[in-house]
């Protein structure tokens, strides 16, 4: 605490945001003058639990267990002081992430706590997760909503110059807030960008993803742009993903647990069980990793998004890509993730599925090698399931999977499914008015 108070004074911080993420991963906060920080940090700050029932427009959806059912009552928000950071893209502003408590107990549906519980379960097995999300996003001009460039040449060097001012600030400012940017790339859509950053161990990786997404959006506004992590803003254009890249280590984070040079797959037994778990529960976790009616539209053939539940060594056409790079560099890429995901929920879903593979020693099916395409039926084993591409099927798959629903908790699942039913209702109304595309962009584009 004393170190934080010293930082506030040293940097002349005027405002501290007590911040958390909604079910949709949208940051919400209560901001206060820095002089009141210590009192609020020690005693907690009242937060209405209704933010857990906010849709992307801030409307409260029904049957979450956290809205009108409890008369939008308060919980007490206590900051995790390890997440304190000064936000250099804002003026004299700092932020700390908050965990909600009621009667001394954590709020079960808080996305951050859902992830923490899975990280703790992993620790009970003597394992830790080193991970990072790979977010793609669209960058458009704030006034016209037109993309910042009109080219679709992926990896183009020239395209980056069209929004150099934004890129420069992002690359300079994000590391100051704890997001160690590694690489900036133009992607295969007009105004389509990917920025990657270094992995972290445990819950910190999801906190970093949260900081990254909010930072990118706020920096973009400073340059009169809108950065959107909406997964499929335009039906005929490429979608935005958030692949979850991760590797398993011992509890101390010193010894890799994925690689085995003597194995035909390059994976250790634990690694094979883990991937098998991801495959066994892929249909259920799809909606947790691609969580909106818009996100699910990515799951198409020849889209660089998964079309079936397959895995392969360095194969980007599969749902699970395994990158074998020796003892320290081997990692798994869960490609189900859409950019509109909540990184806490994406992490929790992956751990819950992978752990079940380890617990039950699930056998790993044959992979699809890098020379073959999982989009080509001749290389895909018969009866291989596909990830759901509509919300009704996706929710059914989630609710049918007792392993995943039990791991993430009854209250979280109830709240999450209530949000999905709300989306389905609004989607149906938009279809009836023949305004589906307009409704989706209005609902998701700015806030997500």
């Amino acid at each position: 605490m004393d170190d934080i108070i010293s930082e506030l004074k040293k940097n002349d911080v005027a405002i501290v945001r007590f911040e958390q993420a909604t079910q949709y991963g949208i940051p919400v906060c209560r901001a206060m003058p820095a002089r009141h920080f210590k009192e609020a940090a020690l005693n907690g700050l009242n937060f209405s639990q209704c933010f857990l029932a906010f849709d992307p427009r801030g409307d409260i959806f029904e049957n979450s267990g956290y809205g009108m059912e409890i008369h939008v009552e308060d919980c007490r928000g206590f900051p995790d002081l390890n997440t304190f950071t000064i936000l250099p893209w804002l003026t004299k502003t700092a932020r700390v992430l908050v965990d909600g408590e009621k009667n001394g107990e954590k709020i079960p549906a808080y996305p951050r706590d859902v992830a923490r519980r899975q990280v703790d379960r992993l620790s009970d097995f003597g394992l830790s997760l080193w991970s990072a999300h790979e977010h793609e996003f669209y960058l458009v001009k704030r006034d016209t909503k037109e993309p910042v460039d009109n080219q679709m040449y992926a990896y183009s060097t020239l395209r980056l110059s069209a929004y150099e001012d934004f890129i420069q600030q992002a690359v300079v400012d994000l590391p100051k807030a704890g997001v160690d940017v590694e690489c900036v790339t133009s992607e295969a859509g007009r105004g389509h960008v990917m920025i990657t950053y270094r992995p972290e161990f445990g819950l910190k990786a999801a906190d970093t993803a949260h900081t990254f997404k909010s930072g990118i959006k706020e920096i973009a506004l400073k340059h009169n742009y809108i950065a959107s992590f909406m997964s499929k803003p335009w039906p005929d254009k490429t979608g935005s993903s958030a692949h979850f890249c991760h590797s398993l280590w011992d509890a101390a984070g010193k010894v890799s647990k994925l690689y085995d040079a003597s194995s035909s797959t390059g994976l250790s037994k634990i690694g094979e069980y883990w991937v098998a778990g991801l495959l066994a529960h892929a249909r259920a976790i799809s909606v947790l990793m691609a969580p909106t009616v818009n996100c699910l539209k990515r799951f198409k053939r020849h889209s660089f998004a998964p079309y079936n539940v397959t895995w392969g060594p360095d194969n980007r056409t599969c749902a699970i890509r395994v990158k074998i790079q020796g003892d320290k560099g081997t990692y798994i890429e869960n490609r189900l993730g859409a950019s509109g995901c909540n990184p806490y929920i994406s992490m929790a879903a992956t751990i819950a599925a992978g752990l079940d593979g380890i617990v039950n020693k699930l056998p790993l099916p044959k992979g699809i090698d890098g020379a073959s395409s999982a989009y080509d039926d001749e290389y895909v084993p018969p009866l291989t399931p596909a990830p759901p591409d509509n919300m009704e099927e996706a929710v059914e798959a989630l609710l049918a999977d007792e392993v995943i629903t039990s791991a993430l908790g009854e209250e979280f699942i109830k709240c999450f499914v209530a949000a999905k039913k709300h989306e389905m209702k609004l989607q149906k109304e938009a279809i009836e008015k023949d305004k589906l595309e307009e409704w989706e962009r209005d609902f998701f584009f700015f806030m997500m």
Side-chain angles (χ1 to χ4, degrees):
M1 177 66 76
D2 290 342
D3 289 342
I4 292 177
I5 299 301
S6 176
E7 282 293 301
L8 293 175
K9 293 177 180 178
K10 176 183 175 182
N11 292 279
D12 193 23
V13 171
I15 294 173
V16 181
R17 301 194 312 204
F18 281 51
E19 187 172 291
Q20 51 203 301
T22 71
Q23 293 288 349
Y24 285 88
I26 296 170
V28 294
C29 76
R30 296 190 69 186
M32 64 175 55
R35 65 181 179 274
H36 297 310
F37 171 78
K38 184 174 182 178
E39 179 183 359
L42 292 175
N43 299 319
L45 192 65
N46 283 335
F47 277 86
S48 170
Q49 295 178 69
C50 69
F51 88 89
L52 288 169
F54 279 176
D55 73 12
R57 291 185 303 203
D59 294 333
I60 299 176
F61 52 82
E62 297 178 347
N63 303 316
S64 67
Y66 291 93
M68 294 309 298
E69 307 94 321
I70 59 171
H71 310 294
V72 296
E73 69 178 8
D74 284 344
C75 66
R76 203 74 174 160
F78 289 93
D80 180 343
L81 298 181
N82 291 322
T83 67
F84 174 86
T85 186
I86 294 172
L87 303 176
W89 53 86
L90 298 177
T91 304
K92 297 182 178 182
T93 300
R95 181 224 68 193
V96 66
L97 297 179
V98 174
D99 295 318
E101 294 186 9
K102 184 74 174 176
N103 300 323
E105 300 290 333
K106 300 285 189 185
I107 302 297
Y110 259 54
R112 190 169 188 262
D113 198 56
V114 173
R116 179 193 289 108
R117 293 197 300 268
Q118 296 309 303
V119 170
D120 289 347
R121 285 184 66 214
L122 195 62
S123 179
D124 291 341
F125 285 83
L127 297 171
S128 62
L129 194 76
W130 198 48
S131 66
H133 288 79
E134 288 184 344
H135 301 277
E136 297 171 341
F137 59 93
Y138 275 94
L139 194 65
V140 303
K141 298 170 185 176
R142 190 174 183 180
D143 53 354
T144 65
K145 307 299 188 294
E146 289 294 315
V148 291
D149 74 299
N150 290 316
Q151 303 301 312
M152 299 175 64
Y153 197 118
Y155 303 106
S156 166
T157 300
L158 183 61
R159 286 179 59 197
L160 295 179
S161 65
Y163 36 90
E164 179 190 13
D165 51 350
F166 161 77
I167 294 296
Q168 288 282 354
Q169 185 174 0
V171 167
V172 170
D173 280 359
L174 283 169
K176 295 176 184 177
V179 183
D180 190 357
V181 173
E182 282 191 316
C183 190
V184 181
T185 308
S186 58
E187 284 291 337
R190 297 188 307 148
H192 205 204
V193 186
M194 181 173 72
I195 299 179
T196 59
Y197 47 87
R198 291 283 294 170
E200 302 276 5
F201 277 104
L203 186 63
K204 189 176 181 182
D207 289 339
T208 299
H210 173 90
T211 304
F212 171 81
K213 292 181 75 174
S214 60
I216 286 293
K217 291 185 73 67
E218 291 180 337
I219 292 169
L221 290 175
K222 295 290 184 181
H223 295 272
N224 289 315
Y225 300 141
I226 296 172
S228 179
F229 293 86
M230 177 181 176
S231 300
K232 194 79 170 171
W234 297 279
D236 59 338
K237 300 294 188 289
T238 187
S240 293
S241 64
H243 302 149
F244 186 52
C245 299
H246 60 282
S247 56
L248 291 172
W249 296 73
D250 69 343
K254 301 297 184 182
V255 180
S256 171
K257 293 294 185 177
L258 275 187
Y259 179 67
D260 183 348
S262 66
S263 167
S264 61
T265 63
L267 291 170
S268 66
K269 279 297 181 185
I270 284 178
E272 290 184 354
Y273 295 149
W274 183 273
V275 174
L278 297 183
L279 296 174
H281 299 287
R283 280 182 53 80
I285 69 173
S286 290
V287 72
L288 298 167
M289 305 198 67
T292 72
V293 293
N294 179 262
C295 291
L296 294 172
K297 293 181 176 182
R298 290 176 53 253
F299 296 144
K300 304 294 183 185
R301 198 189 295 262
H302 303 299
S303 63
F304 284 105
Y307 180 66
N308 44 42
V309 178
T310 52
W311 81 277
D314 203 6
N315 192 330
R316 285 183 169 90
T317 67
C318 295
I320 307 298
R321 174 182 174 233
V322 175
K323 189 74 173 176
I324 303 298
Q325 296 183 138
D327 187 45
K328 301 297 184 183
T330 294
Y331 68 93
I332 297 163
E333 182 181 77
N334 187 341
R335 295 176 63 84
L336 291 167
S339 199
C341 75
N342 181 324
Y344 295 108
I345 297 174
S346 175
M347 170 184 279
T350 296
I351 295 175
L355 263 181
D356 186 60
I358 292 175
V359 168
N360 290 298
K361 297 183 178 180
L362 298 180
L364 181 64
K366 183 179 179 182
I368 298 177
D369 65 47
S372 305
S373 172
Y375 296 135
D376 190 334
D377 292 341
E378 74 171 284
Y379 300 114
V380 179
L383 304 179
T384 297
D389 64 359
N390 66 84
M391 187 57 73
E392 184 175 7
E393 182 185 351
V395 168
E396 288 177 357
L398 172 62
L399 293 178
D401 193 318
E402 294 183 6
V403 168
I404 300 301
T405 55
S406 175
L408 301 190
E410 181 179 349
E411 285 196 34
F412 166 74
I413 293 296
K414 176 182 177 179
C415 186
F416 182 85
V417 170
K420 302 310 107 184
K421 290 181 177 178
H422 174 68
E423 279 182 50
M424 284 190 278
K425 177 177 177 289
L426 296 179
Q427 181 189 45
K428 181 180 179 182
E429 292 171 355
I431 290 172
E432 290 172 350
K433 296 175 182 177
D434 196 25
K435 292 185 177 294
L436 180 59
E437 291 179 27
E438 295 94 325
W439 168 74
E440 285 192 347
R441 278 196 292 274
D442 178 64
F443 196 66
F444 295 116
F445 193 84
F446 182 77
M447 292 304 298
M448 293 190 74

